[in-house]
């Protein structure tokens, strides 16, 4: 059974004085446990829109999203939010760390929306996660004081701290120089594998895409598979 | 409900962290809230102290509820009957209804020899029960006992001013004073009460029998003493009527008898109500202004936090949770201010300065009233919820995908 499946997903946006803008047409995509998927595409091709739909942040105009075997449109908005918190972790191009909060507090944030052990032991869990990304010594540092690569590592720790089944990364290396980008991406790929989480990465960078096993291209709203396996990773 | 607990605690944790970040701005707007809560709480707390003072003061004057004052006079002859006779008639009637506490009351004056000359002293002529009936606050020595009536040298319970006029002598030295009356008598001071108000002149209580010996029975009769009886409030109306008819028939034709209730409880009405309303109203206004400042700040910060709210939503915060957390920011802040305000109010109300001024001579100084503290906290909770509502609504309407787009 797949973790998330998109079936015939279309996304159009009504415009005031023009015909509606079509961003996605007939997208089918299946994310299985432990998958590493890369999606490339030109700017404006709808990559972020697709990722937002996968992450239950946006709803398709037509078509279905299945989370496990539940049709997401049957869930209440609160249930959708909770499912997102439990199963999905986001990594953004601009890191989107909360300013004024230490690295530890940032990583603790998702655990605030958990319950039970994850909630009450959030500080210890977050500290351990930061240690896993090599920032165990920077717990109380504010994001503003961290380098770009360190900030993205904090964001990786935050995305993984609830052990989600899927991690969605929207151009995670887009704001980093090439070398740092590769290190960070290598780390993300590795921690995701250790945690057994599926990873969907949007990227412009062929090296980043090469780390994945299934490769897609988004072209004018249409998702095309460009191959699977290790042949690109060379 | 494990989830409800973590949800609540989580929202408070988020709110607290948010407040910490904006502490300077928040603190400034909270000063107003704290001041207002302090004012409201103080007013209610001071009201309680003042009321107790007023109550004790009234009881000292008018007696405890219900105190009936019995008096009689003969309008035709104009000649007062000897008080001993009238009093027997009163006593007999009171006995019939099982009334145990009663006391003669006669306000008069007497001349007394002080070291610096002869001075007028206001004298209250009473029976021993008067002390209990009026909660007379004896601070040194003791109030009269029945046996004091038989003393050769009459006993006096005097106020502090009296003792000062005697040259500041100690009560332990058994000070005596010479009373100038029908015949000069040396009286012994056996008890001291506080002055009723600053700069009060010398006053004294004396037992009826002793006074009769000093001034003579005619003087007593001319003073037209009345008799006070302490009766259960529930039956005071009915009893007054019965006593009136019984005594009237005992004293015979031509004598008019009146029985009135005159303790403070008979009048009702809170004399401090206008002041309470005024200060309470001003405080409510200040509280609202403080809340307005808080609304302003939280609205501004919520706008700056749209991206942050989007990030939180993408990590699983429900709209309900976002609403509650933003609301809690104001509530946690005003509650903190409220606690400070209430503590300040307690400090004010309990400060020696205030208790001296307001609770002067109060015997049973009440503890800080719990209602006042609860009212103060409730007011801050209410204001916090009110101030947090608008930003919380703004926060809930944040569109996640717009918020996290760069
Ligand atoms: N809410 C919206 N209103 C109007 N147009 C929108 C909206 N959301 C997306 N679009 C348009 O849809 C297209 C796809 O947007 P999207 O952000 O998915 O592109 P993208 O592939 O992520 O691009 P980039 O690589 O630059 O991030 C863009 O042309 C964008 O302007
Ligand atoms: Mg994009």
């Amino acid at each position: 059974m797949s973790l998330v499946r998109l079936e015939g997903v279309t996304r159009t946006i009504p415009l005031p004085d023009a015909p509606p803008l079509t961003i996605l047409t007939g997208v089918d995509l299946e994310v299985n446990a432990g998958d590493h998927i890369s999606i490339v595409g030109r700017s404006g091709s709808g990559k972020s829109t697709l990722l937002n739909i996968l992450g239950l942040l946006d709803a398709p105009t037509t078509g279905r999203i299945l989370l496990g075997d539940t049709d997401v449109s049957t869930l209440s908005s609160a249930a959708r939010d909770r499912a997102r918190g439990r199963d999905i972790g986001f990594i953004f191009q601009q890191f989107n760390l909360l300013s004024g909060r230490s690295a530890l507090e940032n990583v603790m944030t998702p655990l605030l929306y958990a319950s039970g052990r994850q909630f009450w032991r959030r500080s210890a869990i977050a500290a351990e996660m930061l240690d896993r990304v090599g920032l165990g010594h920077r717990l109380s540092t504010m994001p503003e004081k961290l380098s770009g690569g360190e900030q993205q590592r904090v964001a990786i720790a935050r995305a993984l701290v609830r052990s989600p089944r899927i991690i969605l990364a929207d151009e995670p290396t887009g704001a980093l120089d090439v070398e740092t980008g590769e290190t960070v991406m290598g780390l993300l790929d590795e921690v995701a594998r250790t945690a057994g989480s599926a990873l969907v990465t949007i990227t412009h960078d062929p090296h980043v895409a090469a780390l994945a096993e299934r490769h897609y291209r988004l072209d004018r709203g249409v998702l095309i598979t460009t191959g699977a396996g290790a042949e690109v990773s060379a | 409900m494990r989830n409800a607990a973590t949800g609540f605690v989580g929202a408070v944790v988020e709110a607290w962290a948010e407040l910490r970040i904006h502490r300077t701005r928040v603190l400034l707007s909270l000063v107003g809230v704290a001041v207002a809560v302090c004012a409201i709480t103080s007013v209610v707390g001071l009201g309680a102290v003042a009321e107790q003072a007023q109550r004790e003061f009234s009881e000292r004057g008018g007696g405890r509820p219900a105190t009936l004052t019995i008096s009689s006079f003969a309008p035709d002859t104009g000649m007062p009957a000897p008080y001993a006779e009238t009093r027997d008639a009163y006593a007999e009637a009171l006995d019939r209804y099982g009334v145990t506490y009663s006391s003669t009351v006669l306000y008069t004056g007497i001349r007394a020899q002080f070291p610096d000359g002869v001075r007028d002293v206001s004298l209250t002529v009473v029976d021993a029960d008067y002390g209990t009936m009026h909660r007379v606050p004896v601070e040194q020595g003791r109030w009269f006992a029945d046996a004091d009536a038989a003393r050769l040298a009459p006993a006096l319970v005097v106020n502090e001013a009296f003792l000062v006029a005697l040259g500041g002598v100690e009560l332990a030295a058994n000070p005596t004073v010479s009373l100038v009356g029908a015949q000069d008598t040396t009286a012994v001071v056996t008890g001291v009460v506080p002055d009723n108000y600053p700069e009060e002149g010398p006053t004294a209580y004396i037992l009826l029998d002793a006074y009769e010996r000093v001034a003579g029975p005619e003087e007593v009769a001319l003073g037209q003493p009345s008799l006070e009886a302490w009766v259960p409030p529930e039956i005071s109306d009915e009893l007054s009527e019965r006593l009136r008819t019984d005594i009237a028939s005992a004293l015979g034709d031509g004598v008019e008898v009146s029985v009135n209730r005159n303790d403070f409880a008979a009048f009702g009405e809170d004399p401090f109500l206008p002041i309470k309303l005024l200060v309470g109203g001003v405080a409510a206004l200040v509280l609202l202004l403080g809340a307005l400042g808080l609304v302003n700040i939280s609205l501004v910060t919520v706008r700056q936090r749209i991206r942050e709210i989007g990030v939180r939503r993408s990590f699983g915060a429900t709209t309900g949770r976002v609403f509650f957390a933003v609301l809690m920011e104001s509530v946690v802040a005003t509650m903190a201010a409220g606690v400070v305000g209430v503590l300040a109010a307690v400090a004010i109300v309990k400060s020696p300065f205030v208790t001296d001024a307001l609770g002067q001579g109060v015997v049973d100084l009440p503890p800080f009233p719990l209602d006042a503290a609860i009212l103060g906290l409730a007011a801050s909770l209410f204001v916090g919820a009110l101030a947090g509502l608008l930003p919380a609504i703004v926060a809930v309407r944040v569109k996640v995908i717009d918020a996290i787009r760069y």
Side-chain angles (χ1 to χ4, degrees):
Chain A
M1 190 183 62
S2 56
L3 295 177
V4 203
R5 197 158 80 226
L6 304 188
E7 288 180 355
V9 163
T10 302
R11 183 74 172 101
T12 57
I13 288 178
L15 296 177
D17 307 311
L21 172 73
T22 300
I23 306 175
L24 298 173
T25 49
V27 171
D28 295 311
L29 177 65
E30 200 174 313
V31 182
N32 295 308
D35 267 355
H36 279 208
I37 296 174
S38 73
I39 300 173
V40 295
R42 267 186 313 210
S43 185
S45 56
K47 304 183 297 295
S48 296
T49 307
L50 174 60
L51 208 72
N52 288 340
I53 289 176
L54 264 178
L56 316 185
L57 290 174
D58 198 1
T61 312
T62 62
R64 295 206 301 168
I65 316 174
L66 294 159
L67 188 69
D69 45 10
T70 321
D71 184 342
V72 168
S73 65
T74 63
L75 295 176
S76 72
S77 89
R80 205 153 45 223
D81 291 332
R82 278 192 286 269
R84 181 189 313 122
R86 187 182 59 236
D87 291 334
I88 298 166
F90 286 92
I91 295 166
F92 307 96
Q93 178 176 355
Q94 299 299 335
F95 322 135
N96 276 343
L97 296 178
L98 306 183
S99 64
R101 268 102 170 161
S102 67
L104 184 69
E105 283 176 293
N106 264 283
V107 178
M108 276 160 65
T109 305
L111 297 172
L112 281 173
Y113 311 116
S115 60
R117 200 193 83 92
Q118 281 200 326
F119 177 84
W120 297 111
R121 311 235 330 115
R122 58 190 179 280
S123 179
I125 297 174
E128 192 192 313
M129 198 62 226
L130 273 167
D131 200 40
R132 290 246 301 271
V133 300
L135 290 174
H137 59 298
R138 307 300 298 270
L139 297 187
S140 51
T141 313
M142 294 292 160
E144 298 81 17
K145 301 266 167 65
L146 292 171
S147 73
E150 287 170 330
Q151 288 188 45
Q152 196 61 308
R153 272 145 71 190
V154 173
I156 290 170
R158 179 177 63 180
L160 275 135
V161 75
R162 283 188 74 180
S163 322
R165 288 191 280 187
I166 309 163
I167 297 158
L168 302 177
D170 193 346
E171 306 203 28
T173 60
L176 304 173
D177 63 66
V178 177
E179 218 170 299
T180 315
E182 272 179 25
T183 325
V184 165
M185 197 55 215
L187 176 73
L188 172 59
D189 194 72
E190 190 223 304
V191 285
R193 275 181 212 287
T194 320
S197 308
L199 175 63
V200 180
T201 312
I202 285 172
T203 185
H204 280 116
D205 184 341
H207 294 285
V208 169
L211 288 169
E213 288 131 11
R214 290 166 53 200
H215 306 269
Y216 290 89
R217 167 179 298 280
L218 196 57
D219 197 3
R220 282 184 226 128
V222 183
L223 189 69
I224 318 152
T225 175
T226 56
E231 83 270 17
V232 208
S233 65
Chain B
M1 281 305 290
R2 221 170 63 179
N3 290 357
T6 53
F8 180 80
V9 176
V12 174
V13 168
E14 273 179 69
W16 183 249
E18 190 55 40
L19 289 173
R20 233 182 47 218
I21 288 167
H22 302 287
R23 55 182 162 261
T24 322
R25 276 191 280 182
V26 171
L27 267 178
L28 281 177
S29 76
L30 287 183
V31 169
V33 174
V35 166
V37 168
C38 175
I40 288 178
T41 312
S42 301
V43 166
V44 178
L46 289 176
V49 176
E51 219 169 275
Q52 180 70 14
Q54 168 81 3
R55 184 189 184 85
E56 288 191 10
F57 196 76
S58 311
E59 284 178 357
R60 237 170 277 162
R64 287 154 84 159
T67 298
L68 302 180
T69 303
I70 308 166
S71 55
S72 57
F73 67 111
D76 298 340
T77 64
M79 274 304 294
Y83 178 63
E85 283 171 29
T86 327
R87 194 192 176 187
D88 285 346
Y90 293 166
E92 197 180 317
L94 290 177
D95 249 11
R96 196 171 304 145
Y97 297 104
V99 176
T100 44
Y101 280 94
S102 67
S103 168
T104 299
V105 178
L106 170 61
Y107 300 105
T108 177
I110 198 160
R111 294 162 66 70
Q113 179 70 52
F114 287 96
D116 58 347
V118 173
R119 286 170 66 173
D120 284 318
V121 173
S122 347
L123 192 67
T124 310
V125 182
V126 298
D127 295 322
D129 282 354
Y130 185 94
T132 309
M133 293 168 65
H134 287 251
R135 282 198 218 262
V136 177
V138 180
E139 46 177 27
Q140 294 176 58
R142 57 174 181 81
W143 181 250
F144 302 120
D146 284 330
D148 287 330
R151 288 169 78 116
L152 224 52
L156 289 182
V157 172
V158 302
N159 68 347
E160 283 169 354
F162 193 109
L163 219 52
V164 170
L166 271 181
V169 286
E170 292 293 321
L171 183 72
N174 293 317
T176 57
V177 60
S178 187
L179 302 178
V180 187
Q183 58 183 98
D184 286 5
T185 315
T186 302
V188 184
V189 176
T190 58
V192 181
V193 296
D195 294 346
N196 272 321
Y197 50 90
E199 324 262 316
E200 195 185 27
T203 67
Y205 293 99
I206 189 169
L207 284 177
L208 174 66
D209 299 311
Y211 180 65
E212 232 166 21
R213 281 200 303 277
V214 176
E218 299 79 22
E219 191 68 24
V220 175
L222 276 171
Q224 299 196 339
S226 51
L227 189 77
E228 283 187 355
W230 185 23
V231 304
E234 313 83 68
I235 58 162
S236 68
D237 283 353
E238 198 193 333
L239 203 56
S240 331
E241 194 43 45
R242 296 237 187 133
L243 286 173
R244 204 187 60 73
T245 41
D246 282 16
I247 293 169
S249 69
L251 291 178
D253 285 347
V255 179
E256 271 185 31
V257 176
S258 77
V259 179
N260 294 311
R261 182 175 172 186
N262 58 3
D263 57 89
F264 77 98
F267 304 115
E269 271 301 311
D270 179 358
F272 295 102
L273 197 63
I275 306 173
K276 277 189 195 169
L277 286 180
L278 182 72
V279 181
V282 171
L285 213 67
V286 175
L287 195 61
L288 278 181
L289 287 179
L292 224 58
L294 203 62
V295 172
N296 189 18
I297 286 178
S298 3
L299 267 183
V300 170
T301 54
V302 151
R303 294 239 161 77
Q304 292 171 343
R305 281 159 52 203
I306 285 184
R307 177 192 282 261
E308 176 189 323
I309 290 164
V311 170
R312 290 181 178 281
R313 293 289 313 277
S314 66
F315 283 105
T318 61
T319 48
R321 174 60 177 274
V322 167
F323 182 88
F324 192 59
V326 173
L327 190 72
M328 281 314 274
E329 280 168 30
S330 298
V331 173
V332 167
T334 56
M335 285 300 277
V339 169
V340 171
V342 167
L343 289 180
V346 173
I348 289 175
V349 173
K350 285 278 154 196
S351 73
F353 177 73
V354 170
T355 44
D356 281 1
L358 254 188
Q360 212 189 35
V362 176
V363 181
D364 299 327
L365 197 66
F368 189 84
L370 198 61
D371 330 0
I374 291 175
L375 179 79
L377 290 182
S380 41
L381 181 77
F382 174 75
V383 159
L386 205 68
L389 204 60
L390 214 58
I393 290 171
V394 171
V396 160
R397 293 174 65 178
V398 166
K399 279 250 194 66
V400 188
I401 43 173
D402 295 336
I404 60 175
R405 203 202 301 279
Y406 41 89

